Amino acid sequence: MSLSYVERLVCSKCGTRYEPSENPIMCRRRDLGRLDVVYDYDGVAEKVDRRGLSSRGVRDVWRYEELLPVRPRFAARLGEGGTPLVRARRLGEKLGTGNLLLKDDTRNPTASFKDRAMAVGSAKAVELKKNDVAIASSGNAAASLAAYSAASGMKCHAYVPPDAAAGKIAQLLLYGASITKCEQVKEGEDATVQAMLSAVERFGYYPCPSFGPFNPYQVEGPKTMVYEIYEQTEWEGVDVILVPTGSGCLLTGIWKGVRDLKEIGLIRAYPRIVAVQPNGNRALVRAIQKGTGMDRLVPVPYPASVAGGLLDPYPWDGDAAIEGVRKTRGWGVSVSDRDILRAVKELAAFEGIFAEPSGAAGLAAVRELFSRGEIDRDDRVVALVTGSGLKEPDRVIGMFEGGRGGDKNGTRLRP
Ligand SMILES: Cc1ncc(COP(=O)(O)O)c(C=O)c1O
Ligand SMILES: [Zn+2]
């Protein structure tokens, strides 16, 4: 198939419309709106139905090519997506539910869900014949873009925090990225994004971070998690999706995924989408709980948590994330570092899945939601497990040494 079903792109802030042939990246009004990709849903619906999907042999994100903004022939294809949906049998028993599912996205080529985003973003860069791509990231997205750049023959320029996890730095080095460490020196400042933007300006690099306002294409990748979850539950779907949230772009993708499926008539109702943030960086959750929007959002001055992937000083895709939670009647929940580390440990000890703290943060909210009565033990709940523990083993080894890496009052969890 060579036809693209992208109909237009529309700025989320000012509503300016762009033709797909313009290949826009940022709104020309420089208003930091995200250029939301709109598909010809009638056209897609003619091509995509449940039965047809189930007979497709392709298992990666390109299985859903009609709902992606770039053709698979530009993609490096390292095996992104197509990850297992695991029933948490033993952990579910401990929590008193038979309906807990885990979407194990640690099993991606660079060991995080970011491969879904960067596979699509890098393919677009290849289509546009770019040689140099730039990214601001806590580490996972950068490692992913670096891998896809290596496989596509592009140079990746990564802007990361000084304390990025060693496993992620090792990946960046080996995949041949240039690495610039950027320290936050002012309250609320997003140092890595500022550095990336100035490099884009000065050297003409193609911006390809996870966040929507700086590149509209990669945002389309993570929504394939939703399509897979529906296929894997034979279209019964789930009641609740727990989403670890930093910048909000994963949640934006999950929201886009369920809307896409509804637009093409494959589902009727939305699952409830839950934004989960660490207590040390809970600005978006606070806005959701108060019922306010991005205009009133107060960023945390210096975000801090054991969940390093969730420390974005500003939720760049917060507008769509807030909308996704509200329109699906979901919730915003924040969790302590102690609960995150407990989720890491339980995922490993009961289910054999080794996640990094950010990757287990969604699961960390499940007890609280049960005890608040927001979710029922009969509800089908899926926790997105978004990154592998092998990226930062030190933080979790600390749990066994008497509390390094936990809340300030210590986290000592014995086996
Ligand atoms: C493992 C992991 N999970 C979740 C997230 C959160 O994603 P987002 O920034 O899209 O909200 C990140 C972001 O870096 C991450 O690395
Ligand atoms: Zn605009």
Side-chain angles (χ1 to χ4, degrees):
M1 191 198 75
S2 59
L3 190 67
S4 167
Y5 287 93
V6 176
E7 198 174 77
R8 59 184 186 276
L9 294 93
V10 182
C11 176
S12 61
K13 283 254 169 76
C14 69
T16 302
R17 289 172 62 134
Y18 296 84
E19 289 302 314
S21 58
E22 293 175 66
N23 289 309
I25 297 166
M26 293 186 216
C27 182
R28 67 172 81 90
R29 295 201 180 176
R30 300 250 152 208
D31 56 6
L32 290 181
R34 185 184 43 261
L35 304 184
D36 287 319
V37 182
V38 180
Y39 295 84
D40 161 17
Y41 287 112
D42 292 338
V44 175
E46 272 174 32
K47 195 77 205 310
V48 177
D49 59 25
R50 292 180 180 186
R51 181 123 53 93
L53 271 180
S54 69
S55 64
R56 291 187 180 184
V58 176
R59 294 270 159 221
D60 59 16
V61 302
W62 306 99
R63 178 178 181 86
Y64 310 102
E65 61 176 298
E66 292 86 350
L67 288 162
L68 293 175
V70 55
R71 305 278 50 86
R73 69 190 153 93
F74 297 109
R77 298 185 85 151
L78 301 177
E80 52 281 359
T83 60
L85 183 68
V86 179
R87 181 170 298 280
R89 203 173 45 78
R90 294 189 64 231
L91 185 54
E93 216 167 89
K94 189 171 156 78
L95 296 168
T97 170
N99 284 319
L100 178 62
L101 301 167
L102 306 166
K103 182 66 174 158
D104 183 7
D105 253 44
T106 67
R107 309 251 295 243
N108 270 298
T110 75
S112 86
F113 84 97
K114 298 283 184 184
D115 289 331
R116 297 177 187 268
M118 294 306 149
V120 174
S122 65
K124 193 70 190 179
V126 169
E127 181 190 340
L128 299 178
K129 301 190 165 51
K130 303 294 179 185
N131 295 315
D132 289 84
V133 294
I135 185 160
S137 147
S138 61
N140 276 332
S144 177
L145 182 62
Y148 285 92
S149 300
S152 309
M154 297 185 294
K155 177 76 187 173
C156 175
H157 304 270
Y159 301 87
V160 298
D163 55 354
K168 298 171 189 176
I169 296 291
Q171 286 180 299
L172 283 167
L173 289 168
L174 271 288
Y175 295 137
S178 78
I179 307 172
T180 307
K181 291 192 171 180
C182 315
E183 182 149 22
Q184 182 187 354
V185 286
K186 279 202 299 242
E187 273 191 15
E189 175 194 49
D190 197 329
T192 58
V193 168
Q194 293 315 325
M196 175 195 72
L197 289 177
S198 70
V200 165
E201 187 82 9
R202 282 179 63 198
F203 309 120
Y205 300 158
Y206 176 78
C208 196
S210 307
F211 331 116
F214 309 111
N215 185 309
Y217 303 107
Q218 45 67 26
V219 177
E220 298 293 292
K223 70 184 185 181
T224 55
M225 284 174 106
V226 170
Y227 308 155
E228 289 175 17
I229 290 168
Y230 275 87
E231 279 206 87
Q232 288 167 317
T233 56
E234 293 180 349
W235 297 96
E236 276 188 37
V238 291
D239 300 302
V240 178
I241 304 183
L242 303 172
V243 187
T245 301
S247 69
C249 86
L250 169 57
L251 201 147
T252 296
I254 299 303
W255 168 223
K256 182 82 175 279
V258 294
R259 265 181 308 161
D260 283 353
L261 292 182
K262 202 161 175 217
E263 289 279 357
I264 62 174
L266 293 191
I267 64 169
R268 286 208 192 87
Y270 293 137
R272 294 181 157 193
I273 301 178
V274 183
V276 185
Q277 293 198 290
N279 286 344
N281 195 25
R282 57 188 293 271
L284 198 57
V285 161
R286 213 184 295 127
I288 291 168
Q289 290 172 346
K290 284 189 180 163
T292 53
M294 286 303 285
D295 49 333
R296 307 264 300 276
L297 183 127
V298 185
V300 172
Y302 290 98
S305 166
V306 68
L310 309 181
L311 292 182
D312 305 76
Y314 187 76
W316 293 103
D317 287 300
D319 54 342
I322 291 174
E323 181 189 75
V325 172
R326 292 215 175 111
K327 293 250 168 93
T328 63
R329 299 179 305 118
W331 304 275
V333 183
S334 69
V335 287
S336 67
D337 278 5
R338 189 187 170 86
D339 285 346
I340 292 173
L341 291 174
R342 178 179 186 172
V344 168
K345 188 154 185 297
E346 289 182 339
L347 255 182
F350 288 91
E351 301 298 336
I353 297 176
F354 186 22
E356 66 174 293
S358 307
L363 178 67
V366 84
R367 274 195 177 81
E368 168 144 359
L369 287 164
F370 277 142
S371 70
R372 281 207 243 148
E374 315 254 41
I375 55 181
D376 211 81
R377 283 185 163 70
D378 294 334
D379 284 337
R380 228 182 216 213
V381 177
V382 59
L384 306 183
V385 181
T386 48
S388 167
L390 291 172
K391 301 230 188 196
E392 40 188 86
D394 292 355
R395 293 216 169 109
V396 289
I397 290 171
M399 289 194 294
F400 294 89
E401 289 175 348
R404 246 191 326 116
D407 281 347
K408 61 180 181 317
N409 52 358
T411 302
R412 188 189 287 268
L413 294 171
R414 292 187 187 85

